[in-house]
Amino acid sequence: SQYASGDVDGALETYDALIAYDEKDANAYYTRGCLRLQRGEGELAFEDFSNAVAYNSEDYELYINIYKNLAAYHLNEQGEEYLNRAFSIKGDSAENLAYRGELYLLLGEYENAITELNAALEKGRTEANLVLAQTFEAQGDVTTAETYYRAYVDSGAADSKTMNALAEIAMAKFDYVSALNYINQGLAMEQVTNKREL
């Protein structure tokens, strides 16, 4: 709430207090690291991110989110270190396979991503359709990407960002009727995180 209202200093003080209360609060370290990165305090941010994964080393999303934050500030090389560290998480559950597929996608290792994601799909992880779509789209194979986007929509798990991605594919094919249909579906969803984009 403090951060959203523009009180970054107050938010940092609150995170300091949370960490003082619980020195192993990985989420507090992660979020404080994001704020410090935004303020240009790179070394302090790296320290916080390091503590976050030290206290929550089995959370794929934490590694991925740290990577995305660092990449947003053109620190891809440092971010990729976190992606590679995430491979230390072991297990062959559908969830693990799907997350590993996403790690490979972010690293640009598309063949490995497809292998892991297909294995996740075989184990019933329908959310893997979305990452497969993104993997094929990243390679320029829009036709295959569309197939996986549609499968993700049909599974009932789609969000407004997925509808926007389908709309963009349809627009590229000059299929404006379908594009408008996807846009309207996206805007009608309960949670629309990309309203302006739609």
Side-chain angles (χ1 to χ4, degrees), residues 5-172:
S5 66
D7 183 9
V8 177
D9 290 334
L12 283 169
E13 286 178 16
T14 301
Y15 285 120
D16 290 342
L18 286 167
I19 290 167
Y21 175 75
D22 179 2
E23 293 180 2
K24 296 182 179 181
D25 187 339
N27 186 57
Y29 281 114
Y30 163 70
T31 316
R32 187 174 73 175
C34 294
L35 291 180
R36 285 177 161 175
L37 191 63
Q38 183 183 358
R39 288 165 57 108
E41 300 171 354
E43 290 304 316
L44 291 172
F46 294 143
E47 188 179 314
D48 278 343
F49 291 151
S50 180
N51 281 322
V53 297
Y55 295 123
N56 191 10
S57 61
E58 300 293 310
D59 186 346
Y60 283 107
E61 284 192 28
L62 178 60
Y63 292 99
I64 290 169
N65 287 335
I66 289 172
Y67 164 79
K68 288 179 177 178
N69 272 280
L70 291 171
Y73 289 90
H74 309 291
L75 297 167
N76 298 60
E77 189 174 323
Q78 292 90 331
E80 287 177 4
E81 290 175 19
Y82 283 94
L83 295 180
N84 285 312
R85 286 173 68 179
F87 285 111
S88 65
I89 303 172
K90 302 301 179 193
D92 287 321
S93 69
E95 182 180 33
N96 284 351
L97 292 164
Y99 275 123
R100 279 201 298 272
E102 187 173 354
L103 293 175
Y104 281 125
L105 166 61
L106 294 170
L107 289 166
E109 298 180 24
Y110 303 127
E111 286 186 22
N112 288 332
I114 291 166
T115 299
E116 297 285 328
L117 293 164
N118 278 326
L121 273 180
E122 287 173 15
K123 291 192 173 187
R125 181 82 173 184
T126 57
E127 293 88 345
N129 283 306
L130 176 60
V131 187
L132 272 165
Q134 294 166 340
T135 302
F136 282 104
E137 195 169 15
Q139 297 177 91
D141 185 350
V142 180
T143 303
T144 306
E146 184 178 16
T147 301
Y148 284 107
Y149 275 126
R150 287 182 185 274
Y152 184 60
V153 172
D154 292 343
S155 74
D159 58 11
S160 58
K161 289 184 179 179
T162 307
M163 303 317 295
N164 188 69
L166 279 167
E168 288 180 350
I169 290 171
M171 285 190 290

Side-chain angles (χ1 to χ4, degrees), residues 160-161 164-165 168 171 183 187 193-198:
S160 58
K161 289 184 179 179
N164 188 69
E168 288 180 350
M171 285 190 290
I183 290 167
L187 288 169
T193 57
N194 57 333
K195 188 172 183 179
R196 180 177 295 182
E197 189 178 4
L198 283 164

